[in-house]
């Protein structure tokens, strides 16, 4: 049952990613969410939404740990976030070492047994380029 739920979330997340990459950003805000989005972005977290689909979030942070399809990131405010990505397509995951700045795009799931659904994990800045 968990695999089916993760597969559905992953499929929806892929659709969200594809739709948001094709939608132009006008820079205009029509509600009070711009202030909340600004605060989230300052912490390294950015919300990506498309009406009628689950909300995809993006978090930027420094890799401080993780192993075997998981990563722990520390955001700009010192908050720690853990992500597991056992079922994600390997082409959507960049390699990393502790100290690298990483960007994870995910759909939040409030059920701790299911966890967040990671859509992609990309490098923003390598800490130790000579180790690759």
């Amino acid at each position: 049952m968990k695999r089916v739920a993760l597969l559905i979330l992953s499929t929806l997340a892929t659709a969200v990613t594809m739709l948001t990459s094709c939608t132009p950003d006008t820079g205009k805000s029509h509600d009070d969410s711009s202030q909340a989005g600004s605060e989230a972005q300052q912490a390294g977290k950015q919300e990506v939404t498309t009406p009628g689909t689950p909300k995809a979030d993006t978090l930027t942070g420094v890799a401080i740990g993780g192993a075997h399809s998981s990563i722990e990131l520390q955001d700009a405010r010192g908050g720690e976030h853990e992500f597991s990505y056992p079922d994600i397509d390997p082409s959507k995951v960049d390699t990393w070492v502790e100290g690298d700045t990483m960007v994870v795009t995910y759909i939040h799931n409030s059920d701790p047994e299911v966890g967040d659904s990671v859509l992609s994990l990309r490098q923003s800045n390598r800490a130790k380029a000579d180790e690759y």
Side-chain angles (χ1 to χ4, degrees):
M1 189 65 172
K2 286 183 188 179
R3 279 199 164 300
V4 172
L6 286 174
L7 180 60
I8 290 170
L9 282 174
S10 178
T11 303
L12 287 173
T14 301
V16 168
T17 302
M18 290 173 48
L19 288 172
T20 56
S21 67
C22 297
T23 305
D25 182 15
T26 62
K28 297 179 182 177
S29 176
H30 299 289
D31 59 22
D32 293 334
S33 66
S34 62
Q35 183 177 356
S38 168
E39 291 172 6
Q41 193 170 20
Q42 290 173 357
K45 182 176 175 183
Q46 180 180 26
E47 295 180 3
V48 181
T49 59
T50 301
T53 59
K55 178 178 61 175
D57 292 316
T58 302
L59 179 93
T60 301
V62 176
I64 58 173
H68 302 292
S69 299
S70 69
I71 190 168
E72 187 174 353
L73 299 177
Q74 184 174 44
D75 65 30
R77 292 187 177 173
E80 295 181 3
H81 310 270
E82 288 186 48
F83 296 95
S84 179
Y85 47 93
D87 298 325
I88 192 170
D89 180 350
S91 70
K92 296 183 184 221
V93 178
D94 289 343
T95 59
W96 60 272
V97 296
E98 287 185 12
D100 287 347
T101 301
M102 303 298 293
V103 179
V104 63
T105 303
Y106 65 98
I107 294 179
H108 177 70
N109 186 332
S110 58
D111 183 350
E113 287 188 29
V114 175
D116 296 332
S117 180
V118 176
L119 306 175
S120 70
L121 179 64
R122 299 291 183 197
Q123 274 191 2
S124 175
N125 184 26
R126 288 184 178 175
K128 304 172 186 171
D130 58 333
E131 291 185 15
Y132 293 94

